Amino acid sequence: MPLQIGIVGLPNVGKSTLFSAITKKQVDCANFPFCTIDPNVGVVEVPDERLAKLAVISKSKKIVPTTIEFVDIAGLVKGAAEGQGLGNKFLSHIRECDAIAQVLRAFPDPNVIHVEQTVDPARDAETIGLELALADLETVTKRFQNAERLLKSGRTKELEAELAALARAKDALEKGTHLRELAWTDDERKVLKGLSLLTLKPMLYVLNVSEAQLQDGSWKKNEVPICVKMEAELASMGEADKREYLASLNQTASGLDRLIVKAYEALGLITFLTSGEMETRAWTVVKGTKAPQAAGVIHSDFEKNFIRVEVTNWKDFVEYGGEAKCREKGLVRIEGKDYVIQDGDVCYFRVGV
């Protein structure tokens, strides 16, 4: 399954325009078996300049980047948890997402009406945050009440631990606190994981800015400035025109590309690579993944039958012209089951039959 990012926001903040730009960049899903994409899901490639460089060295017949899915829902409004608007009905669509991107309008334009009449990203973030917390509170309360009923019929340590975690989550949500802001033990996270709580997921704030604001540069760590109007134009450009346009604004990457990079950082993800004549391919794993589990991302049998992995840093692979030359220079490492995969590793897994 590709990484999924759920897009939320108030009406008229640029959510639909951003999603339109995303779907214009949508990849052909023919290479991904059993992949049925609904109209509110856009699948795009994760930008990785290393792939093309490795493919040249390996004379690869094709390049297969990893992908990311963006899931769009109707605009939320204040009071959604009490039935206002339509967006709250569709929150279930993003409960399975890995992270949430909240689009906030920061650009001034008297011709585009804001639902709150004035432009205030901080206020809008608070409004959306409250609605997500209320949606989670409803989910946690139902589960808490059910667990209480079960406890009356038979007390177990597991049930008591579940109730304690749920009570803590319920108390936080009633105060409007997002669950991601609290420290949770591994056991507590196991309890909450099955509920797919929205405020437990990493949150990225996508600030929809003007071209002038885009060049400001004073953004917080979890803020991603995107000129949505510009993204719509970039989506229809060729690579050369796109680079020229970005350079004219002193930008080195599109907003969408920056959003993907930030999402990977927020989720603690890294990419390892495989490269040969058939294909050069990117694979995504969580930081800290060991070699057998990384092999399992390629094929489940690889994890079961893992013997060792031969690892080359991608820069060495490119600089010295491939694995054979790197092997001559002693730059190919033989690693076992305890090896932790690093971002940019070019891997060749040795597996048994």
Side-chain angles (χ1 to χ4, degrees):
M1 281 289 291
L3 172 69
Q4 280 196 331
I5 305 294
I7 303 176
V8 300
L10 295 172
N12 296 337
V13 295
K15 216 162 57 69
S16 296
T17 308
L18 175 62
F19 189 71
S20 176
I22 289 169
T23 52
K24 282 179 184 175
K25 288 187 66 175
Q26 184 159 314
V27 299
D28 180 3
C29 297
N31 289 330
F32 304 97
F34 316 113
C35 185
T36 301
I37 303 302
D38 294 325
N40 65 329
V41 178
V43 183
V44 296
E45 296 177 356
V46 173
D48 194 332
E49 62 179 13
R50 298 173 295 192
L51 292 172
K53 294 176 181 178
L54 290 171
V56 169
I57 300 299
S58 299
K59 298 182 173 59
S60 303
K61 293 177 182 176
K62 64 177 179 178
I63 294 175
V64 184
T66 188
T67 60
I68 187 169
E69 290 184 359
F70 286 91
V71 182
D72 187 35
I73 67 168
L76 295 172
V77 294
K78 189 175 183 179
E82 285 78 43
Q84 298 296 318
L86 296 172
N88 196 50
K89 295 179 183 178
F90 302 107
L91 282 175
S92 60
H93 294 179
I94 62 170
R95 284 203 177 275
E96 299 308 313
C97 289
D98 300 283
I100 296 174
Q102 184 179 156
V103 182
L104 301 166
R105 177 179 165 186
F107 68 90
D109 188 340
N111 298 315
V112 181
I113 299 172
H114 191 288
V115 69
E116 295 288 349
Q117 308 305 318
T118 57
V119 175
D120 187 341
R123 176 204 58 209
D124 295 350
E126 188 175 338
T127 297
I128 295 295
L130 178 60
E131 296 307 322
L132 297 182
L134 289 171
D136 277 355
L137 179 59
E138 182 181 356
T139 300
V140 169
T141 300
K142 285 180 181 177
R143 180 58 190 158
F144 181 82
Q145 292 170 346
N146 185 49
E148 276 189 319
R149 283 193 295 270
L150 290 172
L151 190 63
K152 289 175 184 176
S153 61
R155 183 178 297 272
T156 67
K157 287 185 178 180
E158 290 79 7
L159 205 51
E160 289 177 349
E162 180 179 348
L163 269 170
L166 291 168
R168 187 176 173 219
K170 185 170 175 287
D171 179 63
L173 292 165
E174 284 173 343
K175 295 174 182 175
T177 302
H178 287 188
L179 300 182
R180 76 179 70 86
E181 297 172 15
L182 303 179
W184 300 93
T185 65
D186 290 342
D187 288 339
E188 287 174 327
R189 285 192 175 275
K190 284 179 185 176
V191 170
L192 301 179
K193 185 179 179 181
L195 300 178
S196 300
L197 299 171
L198 298 165
T199 64
L200 197 56
K201 300 179 187 296
M203 173 72 79
L204 297 169
Y205 295 97
V206 179
L207 297 182
N208 186 4
V209 299
S210 66
E211 289 187 2
Q213 289 172 317
L214 185 62
Q215 299 174 69
D216 180 277
S218 56
W219 313 107
K220 296 177 183 175
K221 186 177 180 181
N222 60 345
E223 291 178 345
V224 186
I226 294 181
C227 178
V228 171
K229 181 182 175 184
M230 187 182 87
E231 292 299 313
E233 294 174 4
L234 286 171
S236 60
M237 290 183 183
E239 283 303 311
D241 289 339
K242 180 179 173 180
R243 284 194 296 270
E244 186 178 338
Y245 186 16
L246 288 171
S248 70
L249 296 171
N250 297 318
Q251 302 295 310
T252 56
S254 72
L256 180 55
D257 289 351
R258 286 197 301 272
L259 175 57
I260 293 170
V261 170
K262 283 286 186 183
Y264 266 59
E265 288 176 2
L267 290 163
L269 300 175
I270 61 170
T271 302
F272 73 90
L273 310 146
T274 54
S275 187
E277 287 187 20
M278 289 296 292
E279 66 177 28
T280 289
R281 187 167 188 149
W283 307 88
T284 299
V285 293
V286 176
K287 192 180 294 183
T289 297
K290 292 187 177 180
Q293 288 68 51
V297 173
I298 298 174
H299 196 290
S300 56
D301 287 347
F302 286 11
E303 179 176 356
K304 288 184 273 185
N305 302 316
F306 177 88
I307 297 174
R308 65 179 184 271
V309 60
E310 298 171 8
V311 183
T312 312
N313 179 275
W314 79 273
K315 289 181 179 177
D316 292 336
F317 194 99
V318 172
E319 183 177 350
Y320 296 106
E323 184 184 344
K325 294 287 179 63
C326 286
R327 197 180 295 278
E328 289 174 11
K329 292 183 175 294
L331 296 171
V332 177
R333 306 189 313 279
I334 309 299
E335 302 287 359
K337 293 182 178 180
D338 291 330
Y339 177 68
V340 176
I341 296 293
Q342 303 297 309
D343 187 69
D345 279 350
V346 180
C347 298
Y348 186 84
F349 294 99
R350 297 286 183 178
V351 296
V353 214

